[in-house]
Amino acid sequence: MNNMSLVLVIAMVVFFGHIGDTEGGDLRKNFYKGACPLAEEIVKNITWKHVATNSSLPAKFLRMHFHDCFVRGCDGSVLLDSTANNSAEKAAIPNLSLAGFDVIDEIKEKLEETCPGVVSCADIVALAARDSVSFQFKKSMWDVLTGRRDGSISRESEALSNIPSPFFNFTSLKQSFANKSLTVHDLVVLSGGHTIGVGHCNFFSNRLYNFTGKGDQDPSLNPTYASQLKAQCKTLSDNITTVGMDPGSSLSFDSHYYTALKQNQGLFQSDAALLTNKESSKIVEELLDQEGFFTEFGRSMKRMGAVQVLTGSDGEIRKKCNVIN
Ligand code: HEM
Ligand SMILES: *[C@@H]1O[C@H](CO)[C@@H](O)[C@H](O)[C@H]1NC(C)=O
Ligand SMILES: *[C@@H]1O[C@H](CO)[C@@H](O)[C@H](O)[C@H]1NC(C)=O
Ligand SMILES: *[C@@H]1O[C@H](CO)[C@@H](O)[C@H](O)[C@H]1NC(C)=O
Ligand SMILES: *[C@@H]1O[C@H](CO)[C@@H](O)[C@H](O)[C@H]1NC(C)=O
Ligand SMILES: *[C@@H]1O[C@H](CO)[C@@H](O)[C@H](O)[C@H]1NC(C)=O
Ligand SMILES: *[C@@H]1O[C@H](CO)[C@@H](O)[C@H](O)[C@H]1NC(C)=O
Ligand SMILES: *[C@@H]1O[C@H](CO)[C@@H](O)[C@H](O)[C@H]1NC(C)=O
Ligand SMILES: CC(=O)N[C@H]1CO[C@H](CO)[C@@H](O)[C@@H]1O
């Protein structure tokens, strides 16, 4: 090979190598390798310690990361507390079940002890989501790129307008994801996050008791499943009781969400909506395959985890995750 073609090959490797990275934007694998080599291990250890005694946590962290990314990008804004003159994202109705903030704080404290001012809260959330779900498998289930920086603004109103509602139809779900540059494929894959965790009755009890305002049931809901749900959610106004979203498998991260969905056992209208469109129902079909689901979930999480991130010298590295510096 002469020198010219060598240069060309190197140029192509650099060029296409970079194209391959663009899904993560300016984020990188192992961003903290130099400045805080133990960062990822610290996050994993503390996360696993808590998940070992509390199996509801993976769902909390997965949802926390989703909510963070959909409001102002993945910038840790979901962690900020309200102040005297600002109602933060945390105050919004859709985040009722957000939890796990105490674990994020413990991780942050340990990181500040080990390498002060280096690791962002936004990255902690992204890593904790991955690590908590991975505990079940005792190995990392997807790569998380890092290098996010923390934002300083968190508004309740923005959570309300950016977090998709469980009452959304397919068109609105698609629009909500498109707003974040995410595709219908991402929508169907990431909805698979509902393979773990719980939902409050009031987010779906209209489907059981008053679907069109005539005291009726949603005809697209499996009748056997509906009567099981009615035994748990006894009234239309119950906003206290929770039920597992993936019936019979709500602590296990697996592709059973799609199996249930196909049997008309999607809990929310937004789950059931994935069967109302040809493109998305074909994707549901493909994701029944568990290995395929795991691969695609990792890819879509990488794309979601890169939504409108702050990098470089934008934003800050918070000292405490619940308040700006
Ligand atoms: C597609 C649009 C989505 C809608 C409309 C939606 C809606 C909801 C609702 C209403 C709940 C129940 C909250 C409660 O009752 O406390 C919930 C829970 C949950 N969501 Fe979603 N979600 C969506 C997408 C996602 C995505 C993309 C993820 C993550 C990849 C995710 C992960 C979760 C998890 C893990 C829970 C369980 C939380 C817990 O157990 O506390 N969701 N979602
Ligand atoms: C993380 O946990 C492993 C296994 O218990 C341990 O060997 C390692 O020292 C821990 N690392 C840190 C940074 O705490
Ligand atoms: C919000 O209130 C705090 C005092 O609680 C004050 O210091 C700050 O300037 C106010 N910020 C805005 C944007 O009004
Ligand atoms: C498990 O974690 C959830 C969410 O942080 C919390 O509400 C619950 O009290 C915890 N349960 C136990 C047994 O610690
Ligand atoms: C979906 O919901 C939106 C907003 O409520 C509505 O405008 C639209 O007509 C609905 N689309 C379909 C196909 O039902
Ligand atoms: C998408 O973004 C636009 C502009 O920010 C907003 O008006 C609209 O409500 C969003 N749609 C959904 C479904 O989130
Ligand atoms: C069912 O919906 C209709 C129309 O929205 C409403 O008038 C009625 O009060 C609802 N029924 C119950 C039990 O809430
Ligand atoms: C549940 O509903 C009651 C009565 O409508 C209301 O006062 C309360 O704030 C609601 N609680 C939650 C957690 O939404
Ligand atoms: C975790 C958290 O801050 N949840 C809040 C969600 O919104 C309700 C009110 O809408 C607050 O009471 C919760 O504290």
Side-chain angles (χ1 to χ4, degrees), residues 51-320:
V51 174
T53 58
N54 192 336
S55 55
S56 74
L57 282 173
K60 306 299 176 199
F61 289 131
L62 192 55
R63 185 159 188 250
M64 185 190 285
H65 185 39
F66 162 54
H67 279 215
D68 191 25
C69 294
F70 265 59
V71 190
R72 293 192 165 258
C74 323
D75 67 344
S77 55
V78 69
L79 304 170
L80 291 172
D81 287 339
S82 296
T83 56
N85 43 21
N86 179 58
S87 217
E89 289 166 32
K90 275 181 183 173
I93 309 285
N95 71 11
L96 277 174
S97 74
L98 288 182
F101 297 107
D102 51 338
V103 179
I104 299 292
D105 290 344
E106 183 181 333
I107 294 169
K108 181 60 173 170
E109 267 172 44
K110 181 73 185 174
L111 287 171
E112 286 300 300
E113 233 173 78
T114 314
C115 21
V118 173
V119 183
S120 70
C121 296
D123 277 343
I124 295 174
V125 172
L127 290 166
R130 187 268 309 274
D131 293 338
S132 59
V133 168
S134 297
F135 177 78
Q136 178 193 335
F137 304 91
K138 301 294 184 290
K139 65 166 190 188
S140 174
M141 291 301 282
W142 63 85
D143 284 340
V144 172
L145 303 184
T146 42
R148 294 171 191 78
R149 292 172 61 89
D150 298 323
S152 55
I153 299 173
S154 176
R155 292 196 219 286
E156 175 179 20
S157 59
E158 292 180 349
L160 293 170
S161 59
N162 284 276
I163 305 290
S165 151
F167 303 104
F168 271 4
N169 59 27
F170 177 78
T171 313
S172 301
L173 289 170
K174 180 176 172 173
Q175 181 62 55
S176 165
F177 274 60
N179 272 359
K180 308 295 163 192
S181 302
L182 297 171
T183 64
V184 167
H185 192 261
D186 294 318
L187 164 65
V188 181
V189 170
L190 293 173
S191 292
H194 290 177
T195 178
I196 51 172
V198 298
H200 286 80
C201 292
N202 55 309
F203 290 130
F204 57 85
S205 52
N206 67 314
R207 306 184 73 197
L208 308 175
Y209 296 113
N210 207 5
F211 190 59
T212 66
K214 295 176 185 146
D216 54 339
Q217 193 165 299
D218 182 347
S220 77
L221 188 61
N222 181 316
T224 314
Y225 183 48
S227 38
Q228 288 163 12
L229 291 173
K230 280 175 161 171
Q232 296 170 274
C233 303
K234 296 208 170 61
T235 67
L236 199 47
S237 58
D238 180 350
N239 59 4
I240 313 252
T241 311
T242 58
V243 309
M245 291 192 293
D246 180 7
S249 172
S250 69
L251 286 176
S252 172
F253 187 83
D254 54 28
S255 63
H256 188 264
Y257 167 81
Y258 300 100
T259 310
L261 192 56
K262 284 216 32 156
Q263 294 164 354
N264 296 320
Q265 298 181 351
L267 188 60
F268 303 131
Q269 277 163 255
S270 57
D271 296 310
L274 302 178
L275 296 178
T276 64
N277 170 271
K278 211 171 144 193
E279 183 189 359
S280 62
S281 48
K282 185 162 170 281
I283 301 168
V284 168
E285 205 68 46
E286 290 162 9
L287 295 170
L288 291 167
D289 171 57
Q290 180 140 299
E291 286 311 312
F293 168 58
F294 288 167
T295 305
E296 293 306 322
F297 196 78
R299 288 191 184 142
S300 287
M301 285 298 282
K302 184 174 174 185
R303 288 161 53 73
M304 186 181 88
V307 169
Q308 294 169 295
V309 289
L310 302 170
T311 55
S313 57
D314 293 340
E316 63 180 14
I317 303 297
R318 262 177 236 151
K319 292 185 174 63
K320 291 178 72 184

